Amino acid sequence: MSPYDLPNALFIDGKWQPSISGETFDTFNPATEEVLAKVPRANAQDVHLAVQAAHRAFYGEWRQVTPAERGKLLYRLAQTIQTNREELAKLETLDNGKPLREALGDIDGVVQTIEYNAGAADKLQGDTIPLGYEVVDFTWLEPLGVTAHIVPWNFPLGIAVRSVAPALAAGCTVVLKPAEETPLSALRLASLAQEVGFPDGVLNVVTGFGEEAGAPLVRHPWVRGVTFTGSAETGRKIIAQSAESLKSLVLELGGKNALIVFEDADLDRAVEDAIEAVFGNCGQVCSAASRLLLQRQIYQEFQRRFSERVLQLSVAPGLENGDLGPLVSREQLERAFSYIRSGLEEGASLTLGGKRPENLSRGYFLQPTIFEKVHPKMRIAQEEIFAPVVVVLSFEHDDEALQIANDVPYGLTAGIYTRDIRRALTSAQWLESGSVWINGWYLGGVQAPTGGVKASGFGRERGLPGIHNYLQIKNVAIKL
Ligand code: ADP
């Protein structure tokens, strides 16, 4: 039995059911390494049932629901999530490991996301196109149809809802596949959606592994759109898997994001923001700052203050609400250690951390870790580590900072700290990045689009662009 008596079942067509094969898999509590719950291990057959249900609902009952009514259902969902805030946050902490404080913040973001999309549901309108008096031409915005949502484990409910809510607002039906590491909150979402009255088949949840459940979902011919957040490597597979049936894709992949501190920056603010930017969610954030670029004049001072703050950070099980929880899985911890070894082998200098905290012998914990004397071409400066590990680089001139910032395969977020508006905006123009933040980190909100360039993917989520991912334009022309 899982925590809170969650149904250990797939949610398909409004019903809870085991996988057809009867197989299950374990999800672990990363703070204790103990099994938290067993969940069904879906395969292509289960996926087909879920897609079939979503297909039926799309061409059936869901079409009869007006945009305003879709908005109301979403509002009710937001309200019930708000009511169950503590329970959902605790579930997220148990499954993912993150400090409860952060999980509560995630749930608040989930509520805001659903509310935003609820409000937008009846405000999605087309255009009339002026072609002269002989023709009337206008556009309809129509829902894509069945959409698949494949999400990672770092913000299990947050990233699920970031795409599921706009898809539902747009009138699509949904098959959601949570990550195998963190499947529980998606199941709880399904039960809450059912409680507030979403019709059967509109939201389906299949739990399982990437190759077994994710791949058949992406390949399924009735799925019209796929939204994926995860690694670039898996993103490439998703493109290949979807090629046969030519799907509409939104991919948010990794990042190797630079936080650039110029010599005229407000250092107090830059240091404090860098702590959150690097170590929030234990560094397991696509848009985290994983490279600090410091101008030579302030390098020593910034580093002194930053290291002092890092030494104060506590590492503890999520329910104890330290600054950092464990990483999500043994695999991620081992991956982080392999990058730490690579940094050392390539000659970088490990200034802080790099080990398991001494007081925590169980759980996937890692000390906050800082590398200095890093060359921009080292693997630790080029590849996404996805752990509380930061590389610190120095630069002389503005151009050099921008060149280093851009010289990675990714382009998701970047941050600039300066008091000079010209410097800030010129840098923002040159940075190859989906988002640029000035004198702050994790700026923006549910209203502002986010997404990547280069290997960080394509398409934008959040805001109105996030809803347009699930709409297609039909042009209607009438000759008078
Ligand atoms: P990570 O390697 O960090 O676990 P992934 O990008 O592999 O991240 O996983 C993110 C999500 O993608 C998970 O839900 C996972 O099950 C899913 N996934 C992995 N491989 C595939 C695949 N080939 N097709 C579809 N989904 C996949």
Side-chain angles (χ1 to χ4, degrees):
M1 185 63 77
S2 61
Y4 309 108
D5 297 339
L6 265 179
N8 290 334
L10 306 170
F11 186 70
I12 297 177
D13 208 12
K15 289 162 207 68
W16 294 99
Q17 48 196 67
S19 61
I20 292 173
S21 69
E23 283 187 44
T24 60
F25 65 96
D26 295 333
T27 177
F28 294 88
N29 177 342
T32 61
E33 306 185 28
E34 283 160 5
V35 175
L36 184 61
K38 286 191 182 305
V39 288
R41 182 167 176 168
N43 63 25
Q45 286 179 299
D46 305 292
V47 166
H48 177 63
L49 289 184
V51 173
Q52 208 174 28
H55 189 260
R56 220 175 12 244
F58 180 74
Y59 290 101
E61 203 178 339
W62 194 229
R63 288 208 146 190
Q64 313 304 322
V65 178
T66 65
E69 286 164 349
R70 294 201 299 263
K72 277 190 195 151
L73 279 168
L74 282 164
Y75 266 123
R76 290 215 288 271
L77 181 60
Q79 276 165 359
T80 186
I81 289 176
Q82 179 66 49
T83 309
N84 292 282
R85 175 178 184 263
E86 309 272 326
E87 177 218 301
L88 277 160
K90 200 166 165 205
L91 192 60
E92 218 62 318
T93 288
L94 290 172
D95 210 4
N96 164 281
K98 63 179 72 197
L100 191 57
R101 179 190 65 256
E102 291 188 354
L104 285 164
D106 290 2
I107 304 305
D108 294 339
V110 164
V111 171
Q112 287 165 19
T113 302
I114 301 178
E115 283 176 348
Y116 177 86
N117 287 288
D122 61 354
K123 299 169 191 70
L124 305 165
Q125 48 201 31
D127 297 314
T128 53
I129 322 289
L131 293 181
Y133 285 105
E134 297 298 308
V135 185
V136 173
D137 191 297
F138 63 91
T139 59
W140 275 325
L141 301 183
E142 298 180 337
L144 281 187
V146 177
T147 54
H149 304 253
I150 298 184
V151 298
W153 42 259
N154 55 343
F155 296 91
L157 199 58
I159 294 183
V161 159
R162 184 168 85 177
S163 67
V164 166
L168 295 174
C172 293
T173 56
V174 163
V175 180
L176 167 62
K177 196 203 83 64
E180 48 272 41
E181 293 85 352
T182 53
L184 300 181
S185 54
L187 293 171
R188 188 72 182 109
L189 175 73
S191 69
L192 293 173
Q194 187 174 38
E195 264 173 51
V196 302
F198 276 88
D200 293 349
V202 170
L203 170 64
N204 306 275
V205 178
V206 288
T207 52
F209 291 90
E211 294 291 338
E212 291 172 10
L217 181 57
V218 174
R219 286 206 180 94
H220 200 293
W222 295 351
V223 170
R224 294 289 169 80
V226 177
T227 301
F228 168 78
T229 304
S231 62
E233 192 190 343
T234 304
R236 290 186 186 95
K237 287 190 196 162
I238 297 221
I239 293 175
Q241 289 160 189
S242 64
E244 178 72 23
S245 47
L246 288 166
K247 293 175 169 45
S248 166
L249 296 182
V250 178
L251 303 182
E252 205 239 76
L253 310 174
K256 190 71 184 177
N257 312 303
L259 187 160
I260 307 171
V261 187
F262 290 105
E263 40 76 28
D264 64 338
D266 173 344
L267 281 196
D268 287 336
R269 187 194 287 195
V271 167
E272 211 39 53
D273 286 358
I275 294 290
E276 171 61 16
V278 171
F279 299 112
N281 212 41
C282 209
Q284 302 168 117
V285 190
C286 318
S287 43
S290 44
R291 295 182 294 157
L292 295 181
L293 269 59
L294 310 179
Q295 199 153 21
R296 185 182 47 76
Q297 297 90 318
I298 50 92
Y299 186 98
Q300 297 296 349
E301 181 58 17
F302 182 99
Q303 260 307 87
R304 189 184 61 74
R305 296 194 207 177
F306 183 66
S307 307
E308 258 172 35
R309 275 291 283 117
V310 174
L311 284 169
Q312 292 162 5
L313 296 176
S314 59
V315 183
L319 292 179
E320 291 174 24
N321 245 336
D323 294 304
L324 283 83
L327 290 164
V328 74
S329 64
R330 178 176 302 281
E331 190 187 340
Q332 288 302 314
L333 182 64
E334 279 168 8
R335 185 184 143 91
F337 280 132
S338 88
Y339 274 109
I340 291 168
R341 282 194 300 277
S342 152
L344 291 170
E345 278 159 23
E346 287 192 283
S349 134
L350 182 63
T351 318
L352 272 184
K355 296 199 195 79
R356 211 176 230 289
E358 274 160 23
N359 58 331
L360 293 162
S361 54
R362 279 176 81 79
Y364 311 125
F365 294 97
L366 177 62
Q367 293 169 333
T369 299
I370 306 179
F371 272 108
E372 288 183 83
K373 302 210 167 59
V374 176
H375 186 277
K377 287 292 187 191
M378 287 180 184
R379 276 186 65 213
I380 53 168
Q382 288 285 319
E383 297 176 20
E384 187 178 47
I385 303 177
F386 227 61
V389 178
V390 68
V391 298
V392 189
L393 301 112
S394 80
F395 65 92
E396 290 282 336
H397 306 294
D398 294 24
D399 289 354
E400 189 189 352
L402 299 175
Q403 194 266 329
I404 296 173
N406 286 342
D407 191 17
V408 289
Y410 295 107
L412 192 58
T413 67
I416 301 161
Y417 285 76
T418 175
R419 290 187 169 94
D420 178 344
I421 187 73
R422 186 170 185 281
R423 189 177 223 175
L425 292 180
T426 311
S427 305
Q429 283 176 335
W430 281 97
L431 284 165
E432 292 178 333
S433 170
S435 298
V436 177
W437 295 318
I438 299 171
N439 294 328
W441 196 270
Y442 294 136
L443 302 178
V446 299
Q447 303 85 353
T450 173
V453 300
K454 304 196 292 186
S456 294
F458 45 76
R460 293 293 176 267
E461 295 197 74
R462 297 201 182 127
L464 293 177
I467 306 183
H468 285 274
N469 291 327
Y470 305 100
L471 294 165
Q472 55 200 356
I473 300 172
K474 181 177 280 172
N475 184 255
V476 183
I478 308 150
K479 189 152 193 310
L480 298 180

